[in-house]
Each structure stands twice: as C-alpha cells, then as structure tokens.
Amino acid sequence: RLLNGVSWDGMPLPGERVGALLAVLVAEPAGVSDGRLVREIWPDAEPVHPAKALQVLVSRTRSATSPGAVQRVEGGYRLGLTDEDVDARLQAAHLAAARAALASGEATEAFRLASSAAAMEVGVPGAGPLGDLRHAAEQRRTTAREVAALAAARLGRHAEAIDDLAAAHQRRPDDGEVLLALLRAEAATVGPATALARYEAYRADLAERLGVD
C-alpha cells in the first residue's frame, strides 16, 4: 500500500526512500532506468556512488517485501507485482473499468467499480514521487465520485448522485452529460422548479461568457 501509508501485508515499510522507489516504479509498469530512479529518489544531492546506493535501496526494499517485488530489467528496475497487489494501480484499474462500463451502458457495474476507486483512502500527499502518486490518486477519487454519480443517476438513485453531480457541474459547467443528470436529479429530489432555476442560471451564465444577449 502506498496511498495511505507505505506498507506491505499490513506492516509499515521503513524509510522514505523505500516509498519513493516504489512510487516511481508504480507509475511506470514497463520499468524505470537507473538514472531516472537516482534523480527521483535523491533529487537534491546525488549519492557519491549512485549505482551502489540504488542497489542497496533495492535490496533493502526486497528484504522488507519479497524478492520478486522489485525486478531487474535492462538498464533499470520494474515492479514485479500485479495491479491487484498495489492500491494505486488497483484504483486506476477500477476507475478505467468503471468508465468503460458506463460508456457501454452497464450502470450497475460502473457504480460498483467507481465507488471502489473513490473509497480508497489517500494520505497527505507531501513531496517527491510518493506525493505525486498520492496527488494523482486524489484526482482519480474525484473522477471516480463523478462516474459513480452518473451511474447512480442512470439507475434512478438521484439522492445518492446529486451532491457529486453538483460538484462536477461546478468544476465543468459546460459538460452536457453532467448538467442533464444534475437537472434530472434535482427535479426528482428537490422539485422541477429548482431544476428549471438551475438551467436558467446556466443559460444566463453561458450567454454572459459568450457575450450574447
């Protein structure tokens, strides 16, 4: 786990650089070169013997996880774990599958997968590769909540969808799919008058932005 703490089978992994190494490898399934790993893990001061320092870090990471967790590839290393074994990759996979399910009309499956992706806790991002990984995961959580809301709206579960649809509409007011789902959700839960008022407000805002009367 990397998104909320750095751990292996429930046990915390020691050292910030172990987390940084794993975070860089998680983001690049094909593998990462030795040179880039050194730059990412030691951004402020490169070790006197960078290749040796990287080897020691990889050895320490393997000892704390499993021998196959970090695999040697030509010129670098890759993560030797499946997506299901890594929370960040599992979240990304669930979100991608949820979006595909929604696009193909499978709203129930889309809701299940998107809800799973949105439910993954993300800790304080911080700096460095681990911070970048967590920042991206938090963005995926936002997207996943939106996908789940769209799926819930298609299933007629408007009360569950309305808050996240409203947040998505605020982020992207011209997204027609989100706006339509939000209007339907408001009409079903608050009343048609509220939905019409939102639509008129949107039209007025759009006319102002376009500079038309």
Side-chain angles (χ1 to χ4, degrees):
R1 299 184 64 86
L2 294 171
L3 298 185
N4 190 24
V6 179
S7 63
W8 176 267
D9 282 344
M11 297 295 295
L13 294 179
E16 292 183 5
R17 291 195 175 101
V18 170
L21 170 65
L22 293 172
V24 177
L25 295 178
V26 163
E28 300 290 346
V32 183
S33 69
D34 291 348
R36 181 183 162 192
L37 284 170
V38 169
R39 291 192 298 271
E40 294 271 13
I41 297 168
W42 291 274
D44 299 323
E46 184 176 298
V48 177
H49 302 290
K52 182 62 176 177
L54 182 58
Q55 289 173 3
V56 170
L57 178 60
V58 168
S59 177
R60 183 150 49 99
T61 303
R62 287 169 172 165
S63 296
T65 56
S66 75
V70 180
Q71 298 177 343
R72 184 66 176 167
V73 296
E74 185 176 356
Y77 294 90
R78 68 180 292 273
L79 202 63
L81 302 171
T82 66
D83 288 350
E84 289 73 19
D85 293 327
V86 184
D87 54 0
R89 286 186 178 174
L90 182 62
Q91 183 201 41
H94 278 191
L95 177 56
R99 298 177 84 162
L102 188 67
S104 63
E106 300 172 24
T108 299
E109 183 68 357
F111 181 81
R112 182 186 71 82
L113 290 165
S115 296
S116 172
M120 290 192 180
E121 295 184 6
V122 179
V124 178
L130 191 57
D132 293 340
L133 187 76
R134 290 177 178 173
H135 180 69
E138 193 59 57
Q139 290 180 321
R140 285 194 296 268
R141 287 187 75 194
T142 298
T143 302
R145 285 192 290 268
E146 179 180 323
V147 173
L150 287 169
R154 292 189 187 182
L155 294 168
R157 295 156 63 172
H158 298 295
E160 293 180 57
I162 192 167
D163 288 343
D164 286 323
L165 288 174
H169 176 61
Q170 187 173 15
R171 289 190 298 271
R172 297 192 317 283
D174 296 325
D175 187 315
E177 183 182 15
V178 169
L179 176 59
L180 180 59
L182 176 58
L183 293 174
R184 287 174 172 167
E186 285 186 330
T189 57
V190 187
T194 301
L196 287 171
R198 180 182 292 278
Y199 180 65
E200 290 302 328
Y202 167 73
R203 286 186 61 193
D205 175 67
L206 180 61
E208 182 177 349
R209 287 186 283 125
L210 295 176
V212 298
D213 296 328

